[in-house]
Amino acid sequence: MKLHRNRRAAGTLASALALTLVLGACGSDDGGDEGSNDDAAAEDEGSDDEAADDTGSDDAADDSADDTEAGGEGAGGEASGTITMGFIPSWTDGLSTAYLLEHLLEEQGYDVEMETLTEAGPLYTALANGDVDMYPSAWPEVTHANYMEEYGDQVEDLGAYYPNAKLTFAVPEYSDITSIAELPDHVDELGGEIIGIEPGAGLTGVTKDSVMPTYGLDDFTLVESSTTAMLAQLKDATDNEEPIVVTLWRPFWANSAFPVKDLEDPEGALGEAEALHFLGTKGFAEEFPEAAELIGGIELDDEQYGALEDMVVNEYGEGKEAEAIDAWLEEYPDVIPVP
């Protein structure tokens, strides 16, 4: 976004220099030939007028180009500009909504760039600094509350799109364990490990700072690695009907792909259910008003969200995200608001 302003400044400076050179050349002609007749003087004046007209045209062109690049309207009133999505591919809520928004925004006339990151911290930093324009599936109310305390003044909430997200602990359906409160009695059976995800994830912080002390899980180690690694261990354990406890969340396709069940959280240590939000860097709505209006009108229920994630991640898979979005929009044509 900074480049837009630099380009305009450069264009204006170039136009000013062009005008100076033209006027300087005309002044040199007048001073070098004081005995010229009136016709010659009139011709010089005409040249000055033409040069000024050309310079004005250049300025208008610069203004038009700047408006287009900065998120204004292009020819025919179509929205334009470049919007960069920042997301973590292994967190498939953001993956799915990023490709949905890419499709919708490109239909409006925007160019969309995808920027993948591996941790929530760097993503919030990039959003706050304007290095990415949007985080397409944030958990700002509970899970990412610490990041919002740090960066909240530098981001914009563009709207909540899903109302019932929550953090969970899960075990296989064949396990006798039903509550997090029972885990201390099964520490040996579980090998003293809770299989977690990325170190910088909000879920990881809540597990260490709230769940483990609340339920006295001092004899457990939280294994911090990645979502991909956690899912690999979950698959291996359930394929072999072995005991395992993992940190999970809803909505997430793994809850239906694997034979797992949520553990009860009688103390509420994992926090209340929260909404998933679209976040933009500060100034997003002003720079991309048409995009902000479209994004703010998107709301998905359980069925719609579940189908979106399943199509993008499982049914079509990597490399066929655009086909997945087309299929989803065909199945749910009335979900997206028409501006």
Side-chain angles (χ1 to χ4, degrees):
M1 289 182 285
K2 309 295 188 298
L3 292 177
H4 301 152
R5 299 181 179 88
N6 290 343
R7 287 196 193 101
R8 178 165 188 170
T12 304
L13 178 59
S15 298
L17 288 173
L19 179 58
T20 301
L21 289 173
V22 170
L23 294 177
C26 291
S28 175
D29 287 345
D30 290 344
D33 188 9
E34 294 179 1
S36 59
N37 58 30
D38 292 340
D39 291 341
E43 185 177 343
D44 285 343
E45 285 186 20
S47 299
D48 289 347
D49 291 341
E50 290 175 7
D53 289 343
D54 289 343
T55 303
S57 298
D58 289 343
D59 287 341
D62 287 337
D63 289 345
S64 177
D66 180 64
D67 290 344
T68 298
E69 291 175 6
E73 290 189 353
E78 186 177 68
S80 59
T82 299
I83 296 175
T84 303
M85 299 281 170
F87 63 98
I88 300 169
S90 60
W91 297 0
T92 49
D93 55 315
L95 173 76
S96 304
T97 50
Y99 282 103
L100 173 62
L101 291 179
E102 177 189 43
H103 176 100
L104 298 175
L105 293 173
E106 286 182 345
E107 278 195 336
Q108 278 198 328
Y110 294 102
D111 292 322
V112 178
E113 296 180 352
M114 301 294 213
E115 185 72 28
T116 59
L117 297 95
T118 59
E119 288 274 7
L123 177 49
Y124 273 93
T125 301
L127 185 66
N129 291 339
D131 296 325
V132 300
D133 297 304
M134 271 199 70
Y135 180 4
S137 187
W139 299 55
E141 299 173 10
V142 179
T143 308
H144 293 164
N146 289 340
Y147 291 119
M148 291 302 292
E149 288 178 12
E150 183 174 358
Y151 298 113
D153 292 341
Q154 297 166 270
V155 303
E156 289 182 9
D157 190 344
L158 302 176
Y161 76 89
Y162 178 80
N164 195 35
K166 61 181 180 178
L167 306 179
T168 66
F169 269 37
V171 296
E173 291 176 344
Y174 49 78
S175 173
D176 294 331
I177 305 171
T178 60
S179 170
I180 300 174
E182 299 172 11
L183 290 177
D185 297 331
H186 297 268
V187 62
D188 292 334
E189 173 189 341
L190 294 165
E193 292 184 337
I194 300 166
I195 309 303
I197 57 172
E198 290 80 3
L203 173 55
T204 301
V206 169
T207 298
K208 292 192 294 185
D209 299 336
S210 178
V211 178
M212 295 183 76
T214 296
Y215 290 103
L217 305 181
D218 300 336
D219 293 331
F220 282 88
T221 298
L222 176 62
V223 179
E224 302 173 33
S225 53
S226 68
T227 301
T228 302
M230 178 273 290
L231 292 174
Q233 287 189 253
L234 179 59
K235 182 180 188 308
D236 184 65
T238 54
D239 284 350
N240 294 285
E241 294 198 6
E242 295 173 348
I244 189 173
V245 57
V246 299
T247 62
L248 275 179
W249 59 94
R250 292 181 181 273
F252 187 36
W253 62 269
N255 291 288
S256 56
F258 297 101
V260 294
K261 63 182 180 182
D262 296 346
L263 293 181
E264 296 174 4
D265 177 18
E267 301 297 327
L270 284 165
E272 299 295 326
E274 61 182 306
L276 300 183
H277 292 244
F278 298 122
L279 297 184
T281 191
K282 189 172 184 178
F284 182 95
E286 181 179 355
E287 185 166 3
F288 306 108
E290 295 88 352
E293 181 180 0
L294 171 69
I295 291 164
I298 298 174
E299 295 181 2
L300 305 180
D301 60 25
D302 288 339
E303 177 187 343
Q304 294 158 352
Y305 173 84
L308 173 65
E309 188 179 51
D310 184 58
M311 286 183 180
V312 171
V313 177
N314 299 316
E315 187 174 341
Y316 287 84
E318 186 174 358
K320 295 183 178 180
E321 293 88 357
E323 295 177 40
I325 296 301
D326 286 340
W328 185 83
L329 288 170
E330 184 175 347
E331 185 169 344
Y332 298 97
D334 299 325
V335 171
I336 305 304
V338 178

